[in-house]
Amino acid sequence: MTKNTMIFIFLNMIYLLIWYATNKIRSTKVGKELDSGFEFYNSLNNSDKENYWKEDTKILNLFFVFFIISMDISVLLLFNENNLWIFSLVVGLIISSVVAIILSINLRKKYK
């Protein structure tokens, strides 16, 4: 294996570990309390809480999917010495964040 391949695999493993840990923490009571949407979650009735949390977790996972794609594209561009790698990373972060924010706003509207 080449050095670049090893770096690529290592970065993806670290990213997937962070993703996994984030989901594990969110599934605990402390994780819910640390979440920025906890106050809204607490304002829901008991029947809506679980559905809201599952849909909110799907939005978080969608963010991770979009961002890992842009991260991988950026790393490949960097390995090929293409200066667009930083642009790709920034655009990926912006798109991932905007999509997650819009979906989160729509989710809150759905449960109000």
Side-chain angles (χ1 to χ4, degrees):
M1 272 192 215
T2 68
K3 179 182 171 187
N4 287 350
T5 304
M6 294 297 291
I7 293 170
F8 187 80
I9 291 170
F10 178 74
L11 287 174
N12 277 288
M13 287 176 54
I14 295 297
Y15 187 84
L16 293 173
L17 183 63
I18 291 168
W19 187 354
Y20 176 77
T22 301
N23 275 292
K24 277 299 192 187
I25 291 169
R26 277 181 62 85
S27 66
T28 65
K29 183 179 184 210
V30 173
K32 287 180 182 176
E33 291 173 0
L34 293 174
D35 190 84
S36 63
F38 184 67
E39 287 181 31
F40 181 76
Y41 170 81
N42 260 350
S43 71
L44 298 173
N45 62 46
N46 286 335
S47 62
D48 286 340
K49 281 184 178 182
E50 190 64 30
N51 290 333
Y52 170 80
W53 198 254
K54 285 179 183 177
E55 290 181 49
D56 191 54
T57 301
K58 286 179 188 176
I59 292 170
L60 176 69
N61 288 330
L62 190 62
F63 168 84
F64 276 108
V65 168
F66 282 151
F67 188 68
I68 197 170
I69 291 168
S70 72
M71 184 186 78
D72 286 347
I73 291 169
S74 297
V75 169
L76 293 173
L77 289 171
L78 180 63
F79 289 160
N80 290 318
E81 299 178 8
N82 188 324
N83 290 331
L84 291 176
W85 72 270
I86 190 74
F87 177 75
S88 173
L89 190 63
V90 170
V91 167
L93 181 60
I94 291 170
I95 290 173
S96 301
S97 299
V98 167
V99 167
I101 290 168
I102 290 171
L103 291 175
S104 186
I105 290 169
N106 290 340
L107 180 62
R108 285 184 182 217
K109 287 179 183 177
K110 177 180 173 182
Y111 283 95
K112 273 193 174 182

